[in-house]
């Protein structure tokens, strides 16, 4: 039972870290147009180093 005192805070910290990472990616626009990105990479005029 003593291990629960360690595992519960660690799991809460990892969950919070995942939530912060998701929120950061959401604000940076990573999920704005996922289908467009999937099609855009297959096109001939795809530029992997945009200006």
């Amino acid at each position: 039972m003593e291990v629960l005192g360690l595992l519960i805070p660690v799991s809460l910290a990892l969950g919070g870290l995942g939530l912060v990472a998701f929120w950061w990616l959401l604000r940076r626009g990573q999920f704005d147009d996922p289908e467009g990105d999937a099609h855009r990479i297959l096109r001939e005029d795809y530029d992997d180093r945009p200006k």
Side-chain angles (χ1 to χ4, degrees), residues 16-44:
L17 183 66
L19 186 63
V20 168
F22 176 73
W23 186 260
W24 179 66
L25 289 173
L26 193 64
R27 292 192 56 156
R28 291 186 51 98
Q30 292 291 318
F31 306 111
D32 285 349
D33 187 19
E35 190 163 326
D37 290 340
H39 293 287
R40 195 172 304 117
I41 199 168
L42 297 175
R43 292 179 31 191
E44 293 291 327

Side-chain angles (χ1 to χ4, degrees), residues 1-21:
M1 292 308 262
E2 294 173 6
V3 73
L4 287 179
L6 176 68
L7 289 179
I8 290 174
V10 167
S11 64
L12 288 175
L14 288 176
L17 183 66
L19 186 63
V20 168

